[in-house]
Amino acid sequence: MCYAIPGQVVALDGRVATIEYFGERKKAYNEIPSLRVGDFVYAQGGFVIKVLPPQEAQDILAVWKETFFELQEMDLRLSRLAVKSEGVAKKVLRILDKALEERPLTKEELLELLRLETPQEREYLYKVANFLRWKNLGNGACVHGILEISSFCHRNCAYCGLSSHNRDLSRYRMTEEEILAAVHEAVEVYGFQSLVLQSGEDPKRPLDDLVRIIRTIQKHYAVLIFVSFGEVGLEALEKLYEAGARGLLLRFETSNPALYAKLHLGYTLGTRLAHLEKAQEIGYLIATGGLIGLPGQTLEDILNDVLLAKSLSAEMYSFGPFIPHPATPLSHCFPPSPSLVLNTLAIARLVDPKNAKILVTTAFETLDPQAARLGLLAGANSLMLNVTPLSFRSRYTLYPERAHEGETIEEQIAATLSLLRSLGRAPTDLGASTPQG
Ligand code: 5AD
């Protein structure tokens, strides 16, 4: 995340620190033994990651103070529920009223919402989702960086441009030095505090190398690391956690076991879920989700995907559209409509109003250039910027013509900050799920 706001530790209770940000209190796990009450810190994803010199923190806070309240005011204005109910069916209004009261919706009710098509009804749904985001999580937006360290992959996922189906791809594997240089740039130059390291399932990158890389990053940089290397095995999850990784990004792709088996020949949903369950048990923050609009997928499947993410206690919901890649067996298929993607993000907010970080994915931005703005106004509160060096980025072709493929990190940060500012959002982790005291 870029340009986070420091907070001050006001209480310490065992592993749990209470941190105050302009009068708001949040809790975070602490793993820094020397931490004291009164210290200024950066926290990410519910973890304290860095102590700052008091003067530096106070200087940053002085700059932020006014802006922070201005942004909150703007968000408040945009989140007001002044929507017209004309053109919205009574039944839909009733369900959305129930959602506003934060009473759990039934599957039938959620399906009814997921199915909405008219602009008036969709607008109402998005307003409700945005209102719940504002009410429960305030105006914090979480901005992670993603570094794609290798495009080699031995799997055969029917939709993926990195899969073994794509024989023409000129693949790359960043060296350890290249990875560390990219991390250095992201953390020290651009201020990211949370990075996802991602790759295909690359058989030529041994676990020991990944462990060493993560350990080195942890030793030198105050940054929260998410790993996203596919199904590495349950023991590997433990080793990566021991090395310092604290988050796992692993989509289950679809919660429908038959559809999963069809799209991933020779693999099962069960193995994937075993990874997610193990990661949860170890203590990883879980980022997961699925593809929207896969051929053969029903609306009920998509709803089940959202409910599965919730039952896995996902701290981040990563749902994006399927975009056909020409070198895969699904090249002839079509992507979903942007409305279905927005409906899914809004439903995710209704299902998990209080905690979820809901991501607007790059795939959605590829499908619709307005995706980030629309998604952030429909319940989402999270973005991911690509910090992979430009020389490699265009070769990580999950799907064609990825948004931001040719943009420098500076350009992405500038565009993101200006978008967040226009929406009254602060690039902070204030909306993080927080541990129970
Ligand atoms: N369209 C959209 N997303 C894709 N991914 C892979 N291929 C595609 C595609 N064609 C996503 C998968 C995977 C993530 C790294 O990229 O969901 O988990």
Side-chain angles (χ1 to χ4, degrees):
M1 178 170 79
C2 335
Y3 314 120
I5 298 177
Q8 189 170 29
V9 179
V10 291
L12 266 175
D13 182 8
R15 272 191 71 198
V16 178
T18 304
I19 304 167
E20 192 172 280
Y21 299 88
F22 297 124
E24 275 182 48
R25 287 183 172 202
K26 299 278 170 183
K27 290 194 161 125
Y29 283 120
N30 172 46
E31 295 183 336
I32 302 175
S34 61
L35 191 75
R36 296 284 170 267
V37 170
D39 283 350
F40 288 92
V41 294
Y42 281 131
Q44 274 288 300
F47 284 92
V48 176
I49 61 162
K50 185 179 183 175
V51 179
L52 281 90
Q55 193 55 52
E56 185 183 330
Q58 273 151 2
D59 290 350
I60 298 172
L61 287 171
V63 172
W64 264 99
K65 191 163 183 184
E66 205 166 316
T67 319
F68 188 76
F69 290 113
E70 270 170 28
L71 289 172
Q72 277 190 333
E73 178 59 30
M74 164 87 82
D75 183 31
L76 172 69
R77 255 183 285 137
L78 290 172
S79 306
R80 278 201 187 115
L81 261 182
V83 274
K84 296 192 205 90
S85 54
E86 282 149 38
V88 183
K90 283 232 165 61
K91 190 174 171 195
V92 174
L93 283 174
R94 253 200 320 271
I95 301 173
L96 288 172
D97 277 348
K98 190 171 164 190
L100 278 172
E101 291 168 21
E102 296 186 37
R103 286 191 286 148
L105 301 182
T106 63
K107 268 183 86 167
E108 287 66 36
E109 289 168 334
L110 288 165
L111 260 182
E112 186 83 25
L113 299 179
L114 193 54
R115 204 178 285 132
L116 294 181
E117 275 181 3
T118 69
Q120 295 93 322
E121 293 188 319
R122 288 195 294 109
E123 176 72 11
Y124 209 107
L125 167 64
Y126 305 155
K127 282 273 183 182
V128 168
N130 189 39
F131 179 81
L132 291 172
R133 184 274 312 154
W134 167 81
K135 179 178 155 215
N136 289 304
L137 296 161
N139 73 336
C142 166
V143 185
H144 289 263
I146 182 162
L147 176 61
E148 298 148 343
I149 65 169
S150 160
S151 64
F152 284 90
C153 189
H154 66 179
R155 291 197 46 158
N156 56 358
C157 310
Y159 44 82
C160 184
L162 298 189
S163 68
S164 53
H165 299 290
N166 190 356
R167 294 181 201 284
D168 296 334
L169 181 62
S170 131
R171 301 187 186 244
Y172 69 88
R173 180 179 298 111
M174 288 174 72
T175 63
E176 198 164 327
E177 290 67 37
E178 286 167 337
I179 295 170
L180 293 174
V183 169
H184 181 87
E185 187 183 31
V187 177
E188 298 297 329
V189 181
Y190 296 111
F192 282 86
Q193 295 184 23
S194 182
L195 286 181
V196 180
L197 300 190
Q198 190 177 78
S199 72
E201 289 188 17
D202 179 355
K204 293 235 172 86
R205 173 97 69 194
L207 176 65
D208 287 349
D209 288 7
L210 292 171
V211 163
R212 193 178 52 249
I213 290 168
I214 287 166
R215 210 167 263 141
T216 310
I217 295 173
Q218 282 308 311
K219 194 164 146 205
H220 296 289
Y221 305 103
V223 62
L224 185 73
I225 294 289
F226 278 70
V227 286
S228 184
F229 308 132
E231 292 173 25
V232 289
L234 305 188
E235 269 179 37
L237 284 177
E238 277 176 359
K239 292 200 170 128
L240 293 167
Y241 191 90
E242 271 165 35
R246 285 294 174 269
L248 175 73
L249 168 58
L250 180 69
R251 282 181 170 174
F252 49 77
E253 314 293 358
T254 170
S255 60
N256 176 330
L259 184 58
Y260 188 96
K262 220 163 144 183
L263 297 170
H264 310 90
L265 291 179
Y267 296 91
T268 69
L269 179 61
T271 313
R272 200 137 184 111
L273 294 182
H275 277 73
L276 287 160
E277 280 153 15
K278 177 73 180 177
Q280 204 189 340
E281 192 186 303
I282 295 172
Y284 277 99
L285 298 167
I286 305 289
T288 190
L291 285 161
I292 304 166
L294 288 166
Q297 187 183 45
T298 63
L299 283 183
E300 193 171 355
D301 286 332
I302 297 174
L303 174 58
N304 287 336
D305 291 354
V306 173
L307 296 173
L308 177 58
K310 160 111 176 173
S311 75
L312 291 164
S313 313
E315 88 117 18
M316 181 177 281
Y317 288 59
S318 169
F319 283 87
F322 152 68
I323 299 179
H325 188 293
T328 64
L330 302 185
S331 58
H332 60 286
C333 297
F334 293 94
S337 68
S339 316
L340 179 60
V341 183
L342 277 175
N343 287 9
T344 307
L345 299 183
I347 296 299
R349 174 57 63 208
L350 268 44
V351 163
D352 194 354
K354 290 213 181 345
N355 294 309
K357 284 181 185 162
I358 298 173
L359 187 64
V360 178
T361 59
T362 308
F364 189 19
E365 291 187 77
T366 305
L367 189 65
D368 183 339
Q370 290 298 314
R373 165 178 291 274
L374 296 173
L376 290 170
L377 288 172
N381 58 345
S382 187
L383 294 167
M384 223 175 255
L385 307 190
N386 197 316
V387 301
T388 308
L390 278 168
S391 54
F392 298 115
R393 217 185 289 161
S394 62
R395 291 199 270 159
Y396 201 79
T397 51
L398 298 161
Y399 47 85
E401 293 173 40
R402 281 198 304 161
H404 313 300
E405 203 167 72
E407 288 172 25
T408 61
I409 305 177
E410 283 104 315
E411 284 165 343
Q412 293 176 71
I413 291 178
T416 302
L417 288 180
S418 121
L419 172 67
L420 291 180
R421 183 169 278 261
S422 75
L423 296 176
R425 309 292 173 89
T428 70
D429 203 24
L430 296 181
S433 68
T434 47
Q436 305 301 311

